[in-house]
Amino acid sequence: MPPRPRPSLAAALAAALVATLLVLLPGSTTAQAAPVLLSQGRPVTASSTEGAGTPASAAVDGDNGTRWSSQFADPQWIQVDLGAAARLSQVVLRWETAHARAYRIELSTDGSNWTTAHSTTAGTGGVQTLDITGTARHVRVYGTERATAWGYSLWEFQVYGTTGTGPTLPGGGDLGPNVIVFDPSTPGIQARLDQVFQQQESAQFGSGRYQFLFKPGTYNGLNAQIGFYTSISGLGLSPDDTTINGDVTVDAGWFNGNATQNFWRSAENLALNPVNGTDRWAVSQAAPFRRMHVKGGLNLAPNGYGWASGGYIADSKIDGQVGNYSQQQWYTRDSSIGGWSNGVWNQVFSGTQGAPAQGFPNPPYTTLDTTPVSREKPFLYLDGNEYKVFVPAKRVDARGTSWGNGTAPQGSSIPLSQFYVVRPGASAETINQAVTQGLHLLFTPGVYHVDRTIQVNRPGTVVLGLGLATIVPDNGVTAMKVGDVDGVRLAGFLIDAGPVNSPSLLEIGPAGTTTDHAADPTTVQDVFIRVGGAGPGRATVGMVVNNHDTIVDHTWIWRADHGDGVGWETNRSDYGFRVNGDDVLATGLFVEHFNKYDVQWNGERGRTIFFQNEKAYDAPHQAAIQNGSIKGYAAYQVADSVAVHEGWGLGSYCYYNVDPTIRQEHGFQAPVKPGVRFHDLLVVSLGGNGQYEHVINGTGAPTSGTSTVPSTIVSFP
């Protein structure tokens, strides 16, 4: 194929000179403000590419020396996703020699249904500036007839317009009535704590959401009992800036001493001097204990040592011993502890000073000296009288807390004035406008119904929830999507599936992305996914991770086994957590009860440190979970195409209480390759309600009887 001609340097310089002279001519009329370029750097797709050197992204990169070109056939198209609906005014096409004779400019709000804004059958190539009108998020050039024997080729595809449908949104502002702020002189603190606890103690699926914030200082004689959808935090830059001489307590009196349903609550950024020397934090899933300093011991069991089903500690210092007692599994990351006692099945530590030595399966300790990559959760704090959000820096091979030892915390601060403070009643359209406008998002406590996807497409955007703010997608939309951009931080909120099936509830990055985000990855921290329980809910997949290098640091992705709207088909959700991106790290991965695979890992070089799973309780019979010739779907499946993957401290449990005769082939499924490695795996039958035949693939002894003794593998292969 002969080379195609390119514009000469002289021609390009001449054009630039003419443009400059036109601007400088005296007496010219004052031009109106130019429309905003919306398309540059946005996610873009095309029907085809001529080769690897002419990708679709080259048409929106702002570089007139790079281009997209298609295969040599009709029709072909290229489309850009602007991230949010915008009022459009102009499209500029900078064609290479290989241009379109006949084409359309098409607009869409959803990427599926298109309307024509411009069409021609006499395209001349070169630079074509087209005035258009319409509101759309997606814009497409659809070529139907080529002007040359080659394909379609664009140096640049530029879309101009204005974003948002209303006035500029303000940043900052009031945090609302359910954010309760105390300082040491506030009267009646204990009474207010007790009032909220009385309301939230057993409100497992209620709509109440609360955030307690304690200004720096010392507070005496408090016992903050923490119920459902309640978060308690200090407002200092260090946990030691805010000291409670007293306790922050979670117990299980509401559930007869059983802590296995103590979900959805948190404690952060406080120092505690427990009254009797030991604080009690008897929780299970979705109840993080972050950035805490306990000047004494920490008891993770309920009063009476009833059952508890696992939890998470990060970036915390416990001066005394952590009493694990009846906790079935637990993960502790980048912390410092005075000691650890007991363990049931699966206790995992990474980067934790004072952690017990590696001992799995007896004692059941999996201990990594460091955490490969970590970045702590953003948090709200007071700088004088000004609210700011601190965004901690990434750490590599981390060990111990990110604070203390007299060193300043590493990271950056963002004033609240740069956040859109989302309050109940805010629409998805307004939320998207705020992001497009350049604001971060701070969700105040509440339940938010969204009729369209929240689009987080700006690099470095922080989305932070207070008081377990809850997002519910209506009409089967995906609740939130993150673009193919660096450094997004999602933290501290719950996504609750709606009654109309959503294809997914949270997506990190677009499908098929090839962008490297290692220098500044997206982090997903204390973001919880729920399908059913609070009412009917359906979703094909809970969370999908497409972006490379993403860190998922503590999530509970749960298809409900109790509550309202629960049944094998009623809250149908086949897959919990799907990873398509490469180099994704999960630290503290809890995924339970999905109809098919709980975890599907398709990306290369994935790593998981700690995994807790229960297979779906409510499978009606063996045939309902049959996976071709395999009995049941693995809890954690690594695709056969994957060459490198590694996991530490992974457990799967079955409790088939509808049909206890169900047999599960294995808890884990992975290709047998040198680069695919697992350490410290276990499967458990709870009370003999169903059994596993193997641990991973066809390896590992079967479970049997009713004694809940795990079958374990220390190393695979």
Side-chain angles (χ1 to χ4, degrees), residues 37-45 56-64 66-68 77-82 90-95 104-107 114 130 132 138-142 154-160:
L37 176 59
L38 303 174
S39 53
Q40 190 162 309
R42 304 303 309 170
V44 64
T45 54
S57 59
V60 296
D61 63 0
D63 184 348
N64 288 328
T66 62
R67 64 188 176 94
W68 162 73
W77 53 264
I78 182 171
Q79 71 183 58
V80 63
D81 180 352
L82 304 177
Q90 195 175 82
V91 169
V92 177
L93 303 177
R94 298 181 182 274
W95 291 104
R104 303 188 297 268
I105 304 296
E106 298 181 326
L107 311 180
W114 298 89
L130 309 170
I132 62 170
H138 305 268
V139 183
R140 178 165 74 177
V141 180
Y142 193 96
L154 282 166
W155 296 108
E156 283 294 296
F157 167 27
Q158 296 174 315
V159 180
Y160 291 85

Side-chain angles (χ1 to χ4, degrees), residues 251-273:
D251 207 341
W254 74 277
F255 201 47
N256 299 316
N258 182 337
T260 58
Q261 292 184 23
N262 279 352
F263 314 137
W264 303 306
R265 62 200 76 198
S266 67
E268 300 184 49
N269 205 32
L270 291 165
L272 305 178
N273 280 306

Side-chain angles (χ1 to χ4, degrees), residues 23 158 222 273 288 325 350 473 480 569 597 603 631 642 645 652 692:
V23 171
Q158 296 174 315
L222 297 181
N273 280 306
Y325 304 115
S350 69
M480 184 179 292
E569 296 295 343
Y597 293 116
K631 299 175 184 175
V642 171
H645 188 90
S652 177
Y692 291 92

